[in-house]
Amino acid sequence: MDYLRAGGCLLAVGGPAFEDLLVERGGQWCSSADVLRQTSQNPPDVMLFAFNTGDERTWTRVTDHPDAKSSLTAQGGVLSARLESLPGWDVRMSPELASPFPAGKPITVLEARGEGGLSRLNVEWREKDGSRWRTQVPIGRGWQRFACAPSDFHYAASGGVDGRGRPGDRFHPENAVRFCLGATSEGGRAARGAQQWWVRDVGFSADPCPEA
């Protein structure tokens, strides 16, 4: 690095160049994914939801099977959804949020767990124009913390918005207005038995790999 800083030349073979950003941490070079995993080891810098008793009444259910029984509970800092069956998808959408992302903290952090065979949790942000940006995190019976960068959220084509989702488009945290959590049946097959997920400590942290 001293050689390059002094004006030396570099020949890169293999490419494409700069496909994976490396960050220097503690004298070692880490990939952006590695640094993001390190970020997930700590609670968020700023909390978004308190999840007090009664807060569940401000969340809206969005599903392709409204006849399937589902309940939502908020208590003691935890939001929990119980699905008596999961024939398709079942999502809970937050009330409208006013500029939820603090300046300089674009990383979405949350803790989650699941039971009843539920192995993945949908995490989604919706922007002012209605565009939806979604990712999934793997969950199990024990609590796990996840850190999701804006680039982890991918455009959801269903219910799309004209002009969004084209090559080069991305999720814009500054335009986020709603946060969603939910589950989808694996491979389009209806899940048997009750499914349940729990989420707590949703908030934001600083980007460990800010764009140059």
Side-chain angles (χ1 to χ4, degrees):
M1 290 300 298
D2 291 339
Y3 168 74
L4 293 177
R5 292 190 182 103
C9 299
L10 170 68
L11 174 64
V13 180
F18 314 116
E19 186 174 23
D20 192 8
L21 173 67
L22 297 182
V23 179
E24 188 175 10
R25 286 292 176 90
Q28 295 183 336
W29 290 99
C30 306
S31 70
S32 55
D34 290 335
V35 177
L36 202 58
R37 279 192 288 271
Q38 294 175 17
T39 300
S40 70
Q41 296 176 9
N42 301 308
D45 298 335
V46 179
M47 292 292 184
L48 177 59
F49 301 111
F51 293 144
N52 293 320
T53 301
D55 286 354
E56 70 273 12
R57 292 192 290 269
T58 66
W59 289 64
T60 304
R61 184 187 183 198
V62 185
T63 177
D64 60 342
H65 285 77
D67 54 322
K69 292 183 179 180
S70 174
S71 61
L72 188 70
T73 304
Q75 186 177 15
V78 178
L79 186 71
S80 174
R82 179 179 174 82
L83 318 171
E84 297 304 326
S85 63
L86 186 58
W89 49 267
D90 193 283
V91 173
R92 298 293 179 151
M93 182 172 63
S94 77
E96 188 167 334
L97 306 169
S99 301
F101 282 84
K105 299 185 184 298
I107 305 299
T108 302
V109 181
L110 71 152
E111 288 187 47
R113 72 182 188 93
E115 287 187 1
L118 191 61
S119 61
R120 305 191 73 81
L121 180 72
N122 294 340
V123 182
E124 179 181 315
W125 280 104
R126 299 192 180 193
E127 293 189 22
K128 296 175 183 178
D129 61 3
S131 60
R132 300 165 50 205
W133 301 85
R134 185 171 56 203
T135 189
Q136 288 188 324
V137 295
I139 57 175
R141 295 178 66 88
W143 286 104
Q144 298 178 74
R145 184 182 293 119
F146 303 94
C148 305
S151 58
D152 291 327
F153 293 88
H154 304 288
Y155 183 71
S158 58
V161 176
D162 288 343
R164 299 304 306 271
R166 295 176 178 174
D169 195 9
R170 60 181 178 84
F171 167 52
H172 293 271
E174 67 274 15
N175 294 330
V177 291
R178 292 186 188 274
F179 183 67
C180 303
L181 296 162
T184 304
S185 57
E186 299 289 341
R189 299 186 300 273
R192 296 181 179 180
Q195 313 278 309
Q196 192 163 2
W197 56 258
W198 292 261
V199 167
R200 67 185 182 188
D201 293 350
V202 179
F204 308 104
S205 290
D207 191 346
C209 304
E211 295 181 0

